[in-house]
């Protein structure tokens, strides 16, 4: 049993529950918090489950840059 | 088998899962990403309609499906880990659990779709539901393809585990994780944001 995967899974589940809770609240920064949590979950799956952390820096930077750009654009429009 | 194979993942041409799979992943993410940006642009034009439509979605279904996919992804990662260690029985166990997670996702999605169709919230209802149906159905197609790939791996793992190449197995696993990644974009934006 790989404990890094277990910890990653636990964090992802907690972040999912937090996202669902925040979505039912009504305040100014809900959107940015939901998208920020989405960013963290996406990175968690890619870097730990998919082992992208072991890959060349090119693939890591490309994924983070794409995700950052996409979520920023979605939030900004 | 697997421990004898040493892949230099730091080499730009050998990311975990294979370079071709990662090219596919980036193309898929860009495709879904462009659709989500257009959805956000439409939401800006009609914020009230998007908000009211979003409230018609069942957030609990979306959150439970997220948990199904993340748990399934965890099982897939464990399966690859045990295959690399040469422990076929545990690898097979976790692969079967991964496939089960995929079926649970599809079952709950079917319930959700049935609920929507029953009350007339079909693809032509409004722009929001147009995006909802197109994006989530396109994702469901990926999940089905992923289950087929994993089922083929499970067959090899059951009948001739010694012939299974870790690179091929990891490519299938990477495709499955891609379904997670796409859902992790769809769920917050479609179900929670507007």
């Amino acid at each position: 049993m790989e404990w890094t995967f277990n910890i990653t899974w636990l964090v992802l589940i907690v972040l999912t529950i937090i996202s669902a809770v925040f979505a039912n609240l009504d305040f100014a920064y809900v959107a940015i918090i939901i998208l920020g949590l989405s960013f963290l979950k996406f990175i968690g799956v890619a870097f730990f489950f998919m082992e992208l952390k072991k890959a060349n820096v090119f693939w890591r930077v490309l994924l983070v840059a794409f995700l950052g750009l996409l979520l920023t654009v979605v939030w900004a429009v | 088998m697997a421990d004898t194979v040493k892949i230099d993942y730091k080499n730009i041409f050998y990311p975990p899962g294979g370079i071709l799979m990662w090219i596919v992943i980036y193309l898929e993410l860009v495709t879904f990403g462009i659709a989500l940006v257009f959805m956000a642009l439409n939401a800006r034009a009609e914020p009230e309609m998007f908000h009211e439509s979003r409230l018609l979605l069942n957030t609990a279904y979306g959150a439970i499906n997220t948990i199904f996919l993340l748990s399934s992804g965890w099982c897939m990662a464990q399966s690859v880990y045990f295959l690399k260690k040469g422990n076929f029985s545990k690898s097979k166990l976790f692969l079967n659990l991964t496939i089960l997670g995929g079926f649970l996702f599809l079952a709950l999605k079917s319930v959700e779709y049935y609920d929507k169709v029953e009350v007339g919230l079909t693809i032509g209802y409004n722009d929001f539901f147009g995006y909802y149906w197109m994006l989530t159905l396109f994702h469901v197609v990926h999940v089905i393809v992923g289950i087929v790939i994993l089922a083929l791996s499970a067959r090899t793992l059951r009948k001739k585990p010694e012939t299974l190449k870790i690179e091929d197995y990891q490519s299938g696993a990477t495709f499955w994780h891609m379904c997670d990644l796409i859902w992790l974009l769809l769920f917050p934006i479609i179900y929670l944001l507007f």
Side-chain angles (χ1 to χ4, degrees), chain B residues 83-129:
Chain B
L83 190 73
K84 285 179 178 175
K85 295 283 178 194
N87 189 337
F88 297 128
S89 60
K90 279 200 171 177
S91 181
K92 195 164 58 182
L93 171 70
F94 278 108
L95 181 60
N96 289 334
L97 289 172
T98 304
I99 295 171
L100 175 66
F103 277 117
L104 288 172
F105 176 88
L106 291 179
L108 188 56
K109 206 82 199 124
S110 302
V111 171
E112 184 182 350
Y113 283 159
Y114 181 80
D115 287 351
K116 295 287 164 288
V117 170
E118 203 176 28
V119 293
L121 299 173
T122 54
I123 195 165
Y125 183 75
N126 62 23
D127 281 354
F128 177 87
F129 279 98

Side-chain angles (χ1 to χ4, degrees), chain A residues 1-10 12-13 16-17 19-21 23-25 30-32 34-35 38-39 41-46 48-64 66-67 69-71 73-77, chain B residues 9-17 19 22-23 25-26 29-30 32-34 36-37 40-41 44 54 59 63 66-67 70-74 77-78 80-82 84 90 94 170 173-175 177-178 180-182 184-185 187-189 191-194:
Chain A
M1 189 73 73
E2 175 60 53
W3 284 98
T4 310
F5 296 147
N6 299 348
I7 294 164
T8 304
W9 175 80
L10 193 64
L12 291 170
I13 297 297
T16 300
I17 294 166
S19 296
V21 170
N24 294 317
L25 302 178
V30 168
I32 201 162
I34 288 170
L35 291 175
S38 171
F39 181 90
K41 286 192 287 179
F42 192 101
I43 293 297
V45 170
F48 294 97
F49 287 174
M50 300 171 90
E51 298 189 311
L52 196 67
K53 64 179 179 177
K54 296 178 182 173
N56 184 282
V57 67
F58 169 79
W59 298 103
R60 286 179 276 154
V61 169
L62 194 62
L63 193 79
V64 173
F66 164 79
L67 183 62
L69 180 68
L70 174 66
L71 295 180
V73 170
V74 167
W75 174 72
V77 299
Chain B
Y9 292 134
K10 288 293 177 194
N11 184 322
I12 193 168
F13 298 109
Y14 297 101
I19 190 168
W22 276 98
I23 290 170
I25 288 173
Y26 283 105
L29 291 176
V30 168
F32 275 95
I34 289 170
L36 289 170
V37 168
L41 282 169
R44 186 187 173 99
R54 195 275 283 181
T59 309
T66 305
I67 291 169
L70 290 175
S71 302
S72 177
W74 171 77
Q78 295 287 8
V80 172
Y81 171 79
F82 282 117
K84 285 179 178 175
K90 279 200 171 177
F94 278 108
Q170 203 163 15
T174 304
F175 184 92
H177 290 306
M178 180 187 75
D180 283 13
L181 292 185
I182 295 169
L184 289 176
L185 292 177
F187 170 62
I189 294 175
Y191 287 75
L192 306 179
L193 195 63
F194 301 116

